[in-house]
Amino acid sequence: MTSSLNPDAIIEAVESVINRSDFEPLHAPQFEGNEWKYVKDCLDTGWVSSVGKYVDLFEKMLADYTGTKHAIAVVNGTAALHVSLKLAGVVSDDEVILPAFTFIATANAISYCGAVPHFADIEFSTLGLDPEKLARYLSEITEMKEEGCFNRITGRRIKAVVPMHTFGHPVDLDPLFEVCVKYRLELIEDAAESLGSYYKGKHTGHWGKLSALSFNGNKIITTGGGGAILTNDTILARQAKHITTTAKIAHAWEFVHDQIGYNYRLPNINAALGCAQLENLPEYIRLKRNLAERYANAFADIQGVKFFKEPPNSQSNYWLNVLILDESCASYRDELLAKTNQCGIMTRPAWRLMHQLDMFSQAPRMDLTNSEALSNRLINIPSSPSIVSRTMEVNNG
Amino acid sequence: MTSSLNPDAIIEAVESVINRSDFEPLHAPQFEGNEWKYVKDCLDTGWVSSVGKYVDLFEKMLADYTGTKHAIAVVNGTAALHVSLKLAGVVSDDEVILPAFTFIATANAISYCGAVPHFADIEFSTLGLDPEKLARYLSEITEMKEEGCFNRITGRRIKAVVPMHTFGHPVDLDPLFEVCVKYRLELIEDAAESLGSYYKGKHTGHWGKLSALSFNGNKIITTGGGGAILTNDTILARQAKHITTTAKIAHAWEFVHDQIGYNYRLPNINAALGCAQLENLPEYIRLKRNLAERYANAFADIQGVKFFKEPPNSQSNYWLNVLILDESCASYRDELLAKTNQCGIMTRPAWRLMHQLDMFSQAPRMDLTNSEALSNRLINIPSSPSIVSRTMEVNNG
Ligand SMILES: Cc1ncc(COP(=O)(O)O)c(C=O)c1O
Ligand SMILES: Cc1ncc(COP(=O)(O)O)c(C=O)c1O
């Protein structure tokens, strides 16, 4: 078996697709729609803050786009996760299962609830939680009681599972949902990266009791900073709105709050940006899927590396494009990262795995072979929708 | 002693000052400076989110304006309080002293730390914590140990005191600071309402180890939603920046986080708004102090009610103007609230006192006579800086 990888060939393949003039970021937003118009409207009317029509409109547009009953706009994706976990009933000393392969926010949100992250492995085909491996693991370590599913080793209740749709690629949700039903675990989707991604024809976020979106600057659409909770449960939606807006009881002038709440409101001016961005989302997805196709072609014959394609049964937003180095070529990763970044092509490795961070090193976890293998072999490459729009004419002309 | 109050006379006095054409809100922001220019710059350059020059500039402008060494911009005032308490060393099961007379966020932030709010009384001259009454109370209920000041009744450590500068009026900080030194309590100022307010010539926020500002839509300047931590301690400032930005260790491409952090970043687009607003702050304060003077004159001879003037030793931003009904006229409050709001003049009573909310009804507290008396007799009246600017010509002409 040959194990050669030529970093320059990889750079050439990327260059052939992105056709850059100078520095190429990993993901840059585009503001070529109604962004100006809506933001200026906020300034002209004085409605920039917690009240104003764009928050309501953005929530309605999000619900419509994702096909969920309710969307609650919040200040960012981390806040969306925190509140989703809380409303799903996660309390102090519960354990919550999540992939070791994720962005820190998933684990942090669990910690904010006083709960303990419990790390599970991912599968190669989705880069997300492996339902079958999880089922096997749970059958070994848990016992069911009146109050739910308990970890026999730690004695703690396992309350929820938080899959994350890595770089926009949907987790295999149907079997995961079944595992959750069997073990009476709440399913909360971390859909921060998967706005515009579908699994079996339905938008991600539909399987979770509640799900979290992010509109951070690097996401497929941005509100500056922002997030949303998706849910089909009307009572939970009402509670989500209530506790993200300081749990104030509606009244013309009285200030009465009926529980400990949060200031997790999305300001109107950020929601205005979101409305304009959401109008362009179908176009971004078209451009990004086209970009992924170009990368797939450019890397078809490059040795030592594979371009990651969307999992079966799913249609991905291809938020961040992914190269996976062959197992035998993993040692080239750092050289490749250094070379690409030095020459102005921004690339990034996987996040440090959660159980390898000091504060989570003692947290419970299953065997994480796949996570560990993948994290050493994965590189994200430039993925802005603008790449395709600026090269469109060239290719069409 | 007469005890009469004529609601119509009060409405007339307000009307004589505000000279309104239609609905008059309690506090509306003004965007007549560089707001659009800076926000447009964010959209044009694509820097709307967590990176961008306006966050740095806003922090520098805030530090300069307040004369503190460091300002750390965050997503809102509640987040600023939460992080300030955490960095001051407040941990689970500590008690933290705060006024019962405050907005819910002060108490919520304490709860987020797992700590217990302990309610103290205010004084009539400042509407804020009464240092002398607090000193007397602490001498009765506490004992000093190696680890700090302990509540003898609950057995819990009392770790910090959070005064709040009500409606912009500075608390009597010097004697309060002395109490904190004596009992080894950390002082954290809730300066959410007092940007532009000075005590003995220094900006509020200087006495606290860390202090919190808010730029919510109803505040003297707004960023849509936003806040800041002020501190003169360089190490704490660095920690504050670190844990409000997910505690990520700086690296060109690695994602390593060294503790449980928060996504409490202020987006660049909101900071852009803040820079423009801050440029106009001196003018807002001039207008608002002028408005307060006009109210003081208009209410000089109105029976049953007093216009609240800034405390001795201080210069207030007069964020929200305050009427205090005479003790004998307290029963008129609700009629007055109803009548003013019905005729389009927005007014508001004090917040429901913290210990009267269900979730804090069991929390420790001292005698709260002043808080209870004031909360039934206080009304906020319209306070927008635009009131004076739109009536300026009339009065000057
Ligand atoms: C997987 C994942 N979860 C959660 C978040 C948190 O979202 P935010 O940055 O809006 O708080 C992000 C994005 O940053 C993410 O990628
Ligand atoms: C006294 C006080 N503390 C804290 C806050 C919280 O600030 P924010 O609304 O920006 O979270 C506010 C303002 O809302 C306030 O008035």
Side-chain angles (χ1 to χ4, degrees), chain A residues 36 49 76 112 217 224 261 263 270, chain B residues 40 49 76 112 217 224 261 263 270:
Chain A
W36 273 32
S49 188
N76 54 48
Y112 303 160
N263 180 2
N270 302 85
Chain B
K40 186 168 169 307
S49 187
N76 55 47
Y112 303 160
N263 180 4
N270 302 84

Side-chain angles (χ1 to χ4, degrees), chain A residues 33 102 135 146 149 153 180 190 215 221 237 255 343 371 383 385 387 393:
Chain A
T102 189
E146 178 95 18
C149 174
I153 300 150
C180 289
D190 182 345
F215 315 116
I221 70 165
F255 274 74
C343 78
S371 305
S383 303
I387 293 173
E393 289 152 46

Side-chain angles (χ1 to χ4, degrees), chain A residues 263, chain B residues 76-78 81 102-103 105-106 164 190 192-193 214 216 219 226:
Chain A
N263 180 2
Chain B
N76 55 47
T78 307
L81 279 171
T102 188
F103 177 61
T106 326
M164 194 277 281
D190 182 345
E193 306 182 351
S214 164
N216 189 21
K219 296 296 187 290

